[in-house]
Amino acid sequence: MIKKYLLILSVFIVTACAQNNTTSIQSQHAVAMPDSFSADAAMAVLEEGGNAVDAAIAAQFVLAVTLPEAGNVGGGGFMTIAFNNENIFLDYREMAPANAHRDMYLDSQGNVKPYESLFGAKASGIPGTVAGMWAAHQKYGSLPWARLLAPAVSLAEEGFIVPNKLAANIANYVKKIEEQKLHSNFVDYFAHAKAGKLFVQPELAQTLKAIQTQGSDGFYKGKVADKIVRFMQQNGGLISHEDLQAYHAVWRDPLAFTWNDYTLITAPPPSSGGVAVAQWIGMLDAYSDKHTPVQHNSTQYIHVMSEIGKRVFADRAEYMGDPDFIDVPVAALTEPSYIKKRAHEIQESTISPTPNIVPGLPESEDTTHFSIMDKWGNAVANTTTINLTFGSGVVVTGAGFLLNDEMDDFSAKPGVPNFFGAVGGEANAIEPYKRMLSSMTPTLVKKGDDVVLVTGSPGGTTIISSVAQSLLNALLFDMSAEEAVNAPRFHHQLLPKDTIRMHPGFADASVSELQDMGYTIDDRRFGDVHLIKRTEEGVDAASEKSGRGKSIVRPN
Ligand code: DON
């Protein structure tokens, strides 16, 4: 049950105000992207006079071709935009089909059926990406839509040279399909993509051309829609023509909160990320009021941030879901006295008790994020996903694109963890046309009217840690973009009990000290941050080196 709160609003909504955001320090374009194809396409748009939103649209469609693990037309995402001093959030998250219902992934005993929400046509929500890009273009686009689709069309039609990391991910996925005897056409579409060789996707090129010539209708109506619906009918999926036509992207007020001299502009529900980052950063501040400041990546820092993470994720599970369906108490969850109270419960060297529930942690994952800033200082932070690597693992026959498995982000059953180990309840139960709760947190930070930071990451629930820590790295610990994205990060999400997921690269002494305190260390990496930082000296951009990203800064 969602509780009602009467606490004072601490989160204020940033609304439009029409001023030009040109400043003396801005004359550079910058992109921090998850691959070189999207980086080059986005930069070409900026150099041609397009704005940050134009560049984002071009990049989004390129990623659907060159980064099929996560780039998509069959998924959804969020875009946080600062444009001429207007701050706005585009929600193009998938929606549950009309025939979805809360127990659709349970067997007759009421147990969650493994895989049904993760693999195959039934795992897909109604895709939102094309509607989202179309809405972004209608509102902010300055170059023609067809021009923005052109790089993606040509990369699909003429092909691109397959990067090693993509080839390796495909090979691993093919192996998984074969080993687990999953029913999928993935192999037919992707198995011939080999490292260093040209990879052509003619069916995807046709889909992209339909979108290029007919806009959003080229996807939600006509031949592409027919192919999606036929595929659903033949493979036990739910998405109908009515569902495709009912899909709508939503413009929302971003969540905005002040921190030191800054304003953070970030993701509101149906993302849990903005509230979570506000809580994480707010509790660190409140903790620091009463204790000596913690040093970056010290044992103390990791412990305190982990204690905060437990509280953040407890709230996430209880209160968060689609704001069009439930009342999410955003203001109460970010209210300073509440944050202070929670922070002051944290003990310097003792782990607070957690109910002894041990769900599984993720094994592999994919989503993708990019950050763009144009020469006028407009900025876009965009995170997009089909959920896991290669989404639901099935390709719409004849249309050449992978579908999402975003339905797994709902709670299939209260208290039962999803793939990312996140639990939820009523607030995030499945309902027709509801949006599933997300952790994607594309975030902008402003100082006065200027955007000084653009950040975001993939990684499921770990996104929230990556965003909070990359932001603290860049602005509290004053790191360069390069340092801020590559400094090792860690993540604690309440469950499994007392477990910290940590990148390699922390001091051995810290790891031992944390183990001595009672923590279990899970050493798998997560996410790759793509970040732009702007200072008086100019614009600095970086893509985390663990991925296959590329950042470019060019003078105007
Ligand atoms: O929306 C979400 O929170 C997840 N579907 C995102 C999945 C993800 O980030 C996978 N990651 N690398």
Side-chain angles (χ1 to χ4, degrees):
M1 206 51 195
I2 301 299
K3 299 188 187 86
K4 303 270 179 200
Y5 287 85
L6 292 172
L7 300 174
I8 307 156
L9 279 187
S10 68
V11 173
F12 58 90
I13 300 303
V14 172
T15 45
C17 91
Q19 270 176 40
N20 197 311
N21 196 26
T22 312
T23 69
S24 53
I25 60 167
Q26 186 74 35
S27 62
Q28 292 158 297
H29 309 290
V31 300
M33 312 300 286
D35 77 359
S36 64
F37 303 104
S38 55
D40 294 342
M43 187 49 80
V45 167
L46 294 176
E47 295 200 310
E48 208 174 300
N51 61 42
V53 175
D54 290 320
I57 295 166
Q60 173 87 37
F61 285 112
V62 164
L63 290 168
V65 181
T66 61
L67 204 137
E69 300 100 313
N72 65 82
V73 290
F78 299 136
M79 187 184 284
T80 309
I81 303 172
F83 200 92
N84 286 348
N85 269 0
E86 179 180 38
N87 303 316
I88 199 158
F89 181 80
L90 177 60
D91 170 356
Y92 60 97
R93 182 74 163 162
E94 300 90 330
M95 287 160 59
N99 284 331
H101 55 92
R102 56 177 297 144
D103 297 337
M104 65 185 276
Y105 298 115
L106 303 185
D107 64 17
S108 52
Q109 265 84 53
N111 298 317
V112 177
K113 291 190 239 175
Y115 273 118
E116 278 216 348
S117 61
L118 282 172
F119 198 86
K122 199 177 168 187
S124 301
I126 311 166
T129 295
V130 178
M133 294 309 106
W134 182 246
H137 189 259
Q138 299 275 300
K139 196 168 170 69
Y140 295 112
S142 70
L143 296 188
W145 174 255
R147 153 70 186 89
L148 302 179
L149 267 289
V153 168
S154 87
L155 285 159
E157 195 163 47
E158 289 152 36
F160 66 95
I161 301 296
V162 176
N164 292 344
K165 284 188 178 167
L166 171 57
N169 287 341
I170 289 174
N172 284 339
Y173 201 73
V174 167
K175 196 163 151 231
K176 171 178 145 177
I177 287 175
E178 286 168 358
E179 278 172 6
Q180 301 186 10
K181 299 188 171 49
L182 298 169
H183 175 70
S184 166
N185 57 1
F186 182 87
V187 172
D188 305 338
Y189 281 86
F190 290 100
H192 59 284
K194 299 287 180 212
K197 298 274 186 294
L198 194 70
F199 177 47
V200 184
Q201 300 174 81
E203 290 180 8
L204 179 58
Q206 288 311 313
T207 298
L208 291 167
K209 278 185 186 169
I211 299 167
Q212 186 182 36
T213 52
Q214 298 160 53
S216 171
D217 283 354
F219 184 85
Y220 295 96
K221 294 178 180 169
K223 285 190 187 148
V224 175
D226 290 345
K227 286 175 191 164
I228 297 172
V229 173
R230 195 174 320 124
F231 185 78
M232 288 287 141
Q233 288 166 350
Q234 288 170 352
N235 293 281
L238 299 183
I239 300 170
S240 65
H241 277 293
E242 293 69 36
D243 290 341
L244 291 171
Q245 289 186 36
Y247 185 82
H248 53 283
V250 182
W251 290 105
R252 299 188 190 275
D253 291 319
L255 193 61
F257 58 95
T258 44
W259 170 70
N260 296 342
D261 295 338
Y262 303 107
T263 306
L264 271 64
I265 313 291
T266 186
S271 173
S272 58
V275 169
V277 167
Q279 289 192 334
W280 223 311
I281 289 182
M283 280 191 234
L284 179 65
D285 244 12
Y287 177 87
S288 308
D289 288 347
K290 295 215 161 178
H291 300 84
T292 38
V294 281
Q295 239 190 328
H296 180 255
N297 279 359
S298 59
T299 307
Q300 192 62 32
Y301 182 63
I302 299 167
H303 166 65
V304 171
M305 292 286 275
S306 298
E307 282 290 310
I308 296 172
K310 290 164 90 161
R311 288 156 177 81
V312 166
F313 274 88
D315 283 350
R316 182 190 191 275
E318 177 71 15
Y319 305 117
M320 307 265 202
D322 182 347
D324 298 338
F325 283 70
I326 60 146
D327 184 8
V328 184
V330 171
L333 291 170
T334 53
E335 206 274 325
S337 63
Y338 174 69
I339 288 192
K340 233 177 223 163
K341 180 178 143 284
R342 302 275 273 177
H344 292 168
E345 291 161 13
I346 296 170
Q347 305 290 313
E348 239 164 15
S349 52
T350 318
I351 302 176
S352 54
T354 309
N356 197 9
I357 306 160
V358 189
L361 267 176
E363 281 167 9
S364 75
E365 46 197 63
D366 241 300
T367 292
T368 193
H369 172 87
F370 58 78
S371 297
I372 299 178
M373 193 181 274
D374 67 25
K375 63 182 173 186
W376 300 284
N378 301 314
V380 167
N382 186 85
T383 312
T384 184
T385 190
I386 41 177
N387 199 23
L388 304 194
T389 306
F390 302 116
S392 63
V394 290
V395 180
V396 176
T397 309
F401 64 88
L402 282 157
L403 285 162
N404 68 83
D405 56 348
E406 222 72 64
M407 292 295 284
D408 191 63
D409 277 348
F410 280 117
S411 8
K413 186 180 175 182
V416 175
N418 73 358
F419 183 85
F420 293 100
V423 288
E426 278 306 315
N428 190 33
I430 303 173
E431 289 183 59
Y433 291 161
K434 190 174 176 183
R435 287 160 142 89
M436 52 299 277
L437 183 63
S438 175
S439 300
M440 292 185 288
T441 319
T443 296
L444 309 174
V445 180
K446 284 186 146 182
K447 193 167 190 177
D449 286 341
D450 294 335
V451 177
V452 294
L453 194 83
V454 189
T455 189
S457 170
T461 44
T462 64
I463 290 172
I464 296 166
S465 293
S466 290
V467 169
Q469 288 168 42
S470 64
L471 191 156
L472 292 167
N473 289 351
L475 300 178
L476 181 66
F477 299 109
D478 203 25
M479 294 182 189
S480 67
E482 197 71 38
E483 292 163 340
V485 299
N486 290 313
R489 296 189 299 277
F490 55 92
H491 174 74
H492 192 309
Q493 62 173 45
L494 181 67
L495 300 170
K497 183 178 178 298
D498 302 338
T499 299
I500 308 182
R501 195 162 163 190
M502 289 173 80
H503 282 194
F506 283 90
D508 290 346
S510 286
V511 175
S512 315
E513 281 163 18
L514 290 163
Q515 284 167 327
D516 291 346
M517 286 172 78
Y519 285 111
T520 302
I521 307 301
D522 170 351
D523 63 2
R524 286 166 303 148
R525 290 194 64 90
F526 48 88
D528 50 330
V529 172
H530 305 280
L531 174 148
I532 298 174
K533 181 179 178 183
R534 174 192 187 190
T535 62
E536 291 298 329
E537 282 81 55
V539 179
D540 184 17
S543 288
E544 190 170 339
K545 53 185 185 225
S546 57
R548 57 179 194 267
K550 176 173 170 180
S551 62
I552 311 174
V553 180
R554 292 254 169 89
N556 173 22

